[in-house]
């Protein structure tokens, strides 16, 4: 009888340990987050034109299979015609020039914790005194696991 109790107890403990391990396993994230500018109200898009001295709303749909982490925007001049573009179609570019007072804008925007989908809508002001010309608009999206996606758009400031 004692042997039966010990065997039964051992089986119950093993089953408890096995079921506990399954509950404790976290899903391993191996999928990059996505940035979509396909919506009609998304802005900017490839070859968009921004006006000096005016504000615009940066809009994009952000998503991840588990949870979003952070998003940032980097706007910098492309007067030397370097490339970060992730878009297939190019834009008409001005001739190369030396920057005098180019716009350099780098900012992180918050994403509420635990979100799988988020539509960002952030107001950005283009200073009136920046050099007009070709610029890059880079969106960097990182998910909670650290995977990062970059969308590089060519834009123009007039």
């Amino acid at each position: 009888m004692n042997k039966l109790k010990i065997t039964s107890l051992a089986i119950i403990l093993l089953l408890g340990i096995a079921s506990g391990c399954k509950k404790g396993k976290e899903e391993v994230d191996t999928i990059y987050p996505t940035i979509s500018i396909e919506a009609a109200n998304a802005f900017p898009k490839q070859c968009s034109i921004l006006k000096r001295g005016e504000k615009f709303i940066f809009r994009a749909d952000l998503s991840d299979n588990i949870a979003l982490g952070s998003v940032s925007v980097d706007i910098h001049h492309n007067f030397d015609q370097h490339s970060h573009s992730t878009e297939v179609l190019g834009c008409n570019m001005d001739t190369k020039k030396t920057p005098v007072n180019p716009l350099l804008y780098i900012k992180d925007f918050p994403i509420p914790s635990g979100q799988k989908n988020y539509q960002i809508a952030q107001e950005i002001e283009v200073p009136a005194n920046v050099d007009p010309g070709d610029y890059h608009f880079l969106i960097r999206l990182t998910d909670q696991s650290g995977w990062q996606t970059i969308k590089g758009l060519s834009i123009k400031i007039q």
Side-chain angles (χ1 to χ4, degrees), residues 74-82 84 97-105 131-136 157:
D74 173 341
I75 306 171
H76 63 271
H77 80 82
N78 186 21
F79 301 161
D80 59 359
Q81 298 181 357
H82 66 276
H84 301 289
K97 66 181 184 179
T98 303
V100 176
N101 188 31
L103 173 61
L104 178 58
Y105 180 92
D131 295 339
D134 298 311
Y135 283 81
H136 285 138
I157 295 179

Side-chain angles (χ1 to χ4, degrees), residues 51-68:
K51 303 281 187 182
R52 293 184 295 166
E54 293 185 7
K55 296 176 183 177
F56 68 95
I57 304 293
F58 159 49
R59 291 184 193 275
D61 292 324
L62 313 174
S63 61
D64 186 62
N65 62 316
I66 306 239
L68 293 165

Side-chain angles (χ1 to χ4, degrees), residues 3-18:
K3 226 178 194 182
L4 181 61
K5 285 182 182 179
I6 292 173
T7 305
S8 297
L9 183 60
I11 291 172
I12 291 170
L13 284 173
L14 287 173
L15 289 173
I17 291 170

Side-chain angles (χ1 to χ4, degrees), residues 100-119:
V100 176
N101 188 31
L103 173 61
L104 178 58
Y105 180 92
I106 301 172
K107 186 164 183 180
D108 294 321
F109 296 108
I111 296 175
S113 181
Q115 298 292 309
K116 287 185 177 185
N117 299 292
Y118 185 70
Q119 184 182 71

